[in-house]
Amino acid sequence: MFLSVFELFKIGIGPSSSHTVGPMVAAGLFLDMLRRDRPQGLASLSVSLHGSLAFTGKGHATDRSIVLGLAGERPDAVDPDRVAEIIATVAAAGRIEAPGLPPLRFDPDRDIVFDYGPPLPGHSNGMRLRALDSNGNVVAEETYFSIGGGFVKTAAELEEKEPSPAAASTPVPFPFATAAEMMRMGEESGLSIAAMKRANELCRCSDAELDAGLDRIWAAMDACMRRGLAASGELPGGLKVRRRAAAIHAQLAREAGLNRPFEHTVMDWLSVYAMAVNEENAAGGRVVTAPTNGAAGVIPAVIRYYVDHCPGAGTEGVRTFLLAAAAVGGIIKHNASISGAEVGCQGEVGSASAMAAAGLAAALGGSNAQVENAAEIALEHHLGMTCDPVGGLVQVPCIERNALGAVKAVTAASLALRGDGSHFVPLDTCIETMRQTGLDMSEKYKETSQGGLAVNVVAC
């Protein structure tokens, strides 16, 4: 099993990897299918959103992302400052003009349907895209599922449980699919988890390309954080949630020169780093899936903690962090889920916290056993966490939840590094427990905003 670090950490825009990035990708894939198959009589387009995409799609900008994808925009390249202009242009024209295709009638208000009936079989994040002729007959159709982290599969791919294209085409020296396999391969090879992950990545790119890519990921994370630490005002969506990161950061900076700061102030730094990223995400800014947008603040916050607060931190440590984190994230995604719509927030912030704990332990020189232990501690103490965004927006409780996920990650890494790596619950068992818990969890607690805080807090 091989899932690249660059598949887990993807540059996109907020507020959601599954509800914003994934649908944008799906819309682009549908246009590619039309170009390839060239169905006769193409005249118009229509889209229906199902399950969680319908129930929280407005708050997660799913309809807007569909328009962006049909307009030819890509998540990693679209300018967040131009999103409103692009959508207004399509709405005013009432059509999509895509290269290689005839002009296609498309009115976003009429032709994007939020279907609040039963979700499509297979996954709660389903969407159907159709092309019609001038008489309204369907001439092309495809069903896509946004399965978390910006990953998209067609209905056929989901049913066949096909691996990602990279996984299918890239033989690697350390194809671990479980933590147990990872630990065994590390013991046999004498390599660290990060070194094994690096060896796998080098089957697809050179050393220089890998390092440049890892540096680009961290630069994008850091840039997002810095924007969030400088921005103020009210987040969009109607909840009237105000950005807090900039004010808290300024307060912490003023207190930094005091002779006797509180020891626990370091947790405030961690929290403000995470909140800055997730405030940017909630505002539709450029973020990195880590492994999702909803959990995008945890890993950058812990890396920033490592860089700013850990003696001896440096560029190589950041690369080690990302590689070890991706190794753990790949195992979680392969054996359970990173999608809030599948397993609740334990799959998003829980996975991010486990990845961050593993990354920090690795960057600080931990053994493979300590890295695995750190990931297990962090994930174990997110088990059962629901996904219940108020108003369908990635704001409450999501922003603060990332802050606490970062604090838990550092605590987990610290606890693991204080021991020898031996522990009672294996990481694989914890991942399987998360999968089973997600299956047992009521749908109203899985990103539908039909339970939990979403119905017990008045959204106005």
Side-chain angles (χ1 to χ4, degrees):
M1 190 280 296
F2 172 63
L3 185 67
S4 173
V5 63
F6 301 117
E7 291 179 282
L8 271 174
F9 298 121
K10 297 189 287 288
I11 299 173
I13 62 170
S16 171
S17 50
S18 60
H19 289 54
T20 310
V21 176
M24 194 186 308
V25 171
L29 291 174
F30 187 66
L31 292 183
D32 289 341
M33 187 189 82
L34 295 181
R35 295 186 186 100
R36 182 189 69 240
D37 297 345
R38 298 193 174 279
Q40 296 297 311
L42 282 176
S44 63
L45 298 172
S46 71
V47 181
S48 59
L49 304 173
H50 303 262
S52 178
L53 293 184
F55 284 106
T56 62
K58 284 288 185 182
H60 287 67
T62 303
D63 49 347
R64 293 163 64 86
S65 69
I66 289 286
V67 176
L68 290 172
L70 293 176
E73 298 293 337
R74 301 195 321 271
D76 62 339
V78 63
D79 181 355
D81 293 332
R82 290 195 60 241
V83 165
E85 174 191 341
I86 295 167
I87 291 171
T89 298
V90 171
R95 63 180 179 272
I96 294 293
E97 297 187 5
L101 294 171
L104 301 170
R105 292 194 308 277
F106 183 71
D107 178 351
D109 290 336
R110 182 193 65 211
D111 295 321
I112 298 178
V113 177
F114 291 81
D115 188 327
Y116 300 108
L120 299 178
H123 197 282
S124 59
N125 285 341
M127 64 199 107
R128 284 197 173 120
L129 283 79
R130 299 178 178 90
L132 303 95
D133 63 19
S134 57
N135 295 318
N137 300 309
V138 176
V139 295
E141 179 178 353
E142 186 59 271
T143 299
Y144 297 95
F145 295 97
S146 182
I147 60 173
F151 292 89
V152 172
K153 287 188 175 183
T154 64
E157 290 169 342
L158 190 73
E159 185 175 341
E160 294 170 11
K161 299 189 182 302
E162 293 181 356
S164 69
S169 62
T170 307
V172 295
F174 303 102
F176 49 82
T178 66
E181 291 177 355
M182 180 176 70
M183 299 301 289
R184 176 180 56 78
M185 291 178 188
E187 185 173 354
E188 292 173 350
S189 66
L191 295 176
S192 69
I193 291 170
M196 289 190 292
K197 183 63 176 167
R198 171 174 280 275
N200 288 347
E201 296 289 341
L202 292 179
C203 293
R204 297 180 66 191
C205 62
S206 68
D207 262 307
E209 290 170 333
L210 176 58
D211 286 341
L214 294 171
D215 295 346
R216 183 168 58 251
I217 289 170
W218 167 232
M221 289 177 171
D222 192 45
C224 175
M225 192 184 312
R226 292 180 185 279
R227 289 194 303 272
L229 291 173
S232 58
E234 193 174 281
L235 293 172
L239 292 185
K240 301 187 184 302
V241 173
R242 297 193 64 80
R243 290 180 183 250
R244 290 182 289 162
I248 295 173
H249 184 256
Q251 189 177 30
L252 287 170
R254 289 193 300 270
E255 294 172 359
L258 297 179
N259 291 330
R260 298 190 62 185
F262 290 116
E263 294 293 337
H264 62 249
T265 298
V266 69
M267 292 189 290
D268 296 338
W269 284 102
L270 260 174
S271 297
V272 79
Y273 295 152
M275 291 170 65
V277 172
N278 283 87
E279 286 176 355
E280 273 296 291
N281 177 61
R286 187 168 303 287
V287 298
V288 179
T289 62
T292 66
N293 281 31
V298 177
I299 289 173
V302 178
I303 296 178
R304 181 71 178 269
Y305 164 82
Y306 165 72
V307 170
D308 288 356
H309 300 275
C310 295
T315 300
E316 284 304 318
V318 173
R319 294 169 181 166
T320 294
F321 188 119
L322 289 170
L323 289 167
V328 168
I331 291 170
I332 295 173
K333 186 179 187 303
H334 179 71
N335 294 291
S337 177
I338 58 172
S339 168
E342 286 185 335
V343 297
C345 200
Q346 58 175 352
E348 296 208 25
V349 170
S351 296
S353 188
M355 293 166 66
L360 181 60
L364 293 178
S367 67
N368 287 354
Q370 290 170 320
V371 170
E372 188 261 2
N373 188 15
E376 186 278 328
I377 294 171
L379 184 59
E380 181 180 352
H381 297 288
H382 284 88
L383 291 178
M385 182 175 282
T386 59
C387 181
D388 49 355
V390 176
L393 299 166
V394 191
Q395 297 178 18
V396 180
C398 317
I399 294 170
E400 288 180 354
R401 189 167 283 177
N402 274 258
L404 272 293
V407 171
K408 285 185 182 181
V410 173
T411 302
S414 181
L415 284 173
L417 292 171
R418 293 287 184 185
D420 61 5
S422 60
H423 54 106
F424 193 81
V425 180
L427 176 58
D428 286 328
T429 299
C430 193
I431 293 170
E432 173 59 14
T433 302
M434 182 180 78
R435 186 189 71 82
Q436 293 177 9
T437 304
L439 289 174
D440 292 339
M441 190 180 290
S442 169
E443 292 298 319
K444 66 184 181 181
Y445 297 119
K446 293 194 283 190
E447 209 168 357
T448 60
S449 289
Q450 294 183 298
L453 287 175
V455 299
N456 286 296
V457 176
V458 177
C460 59

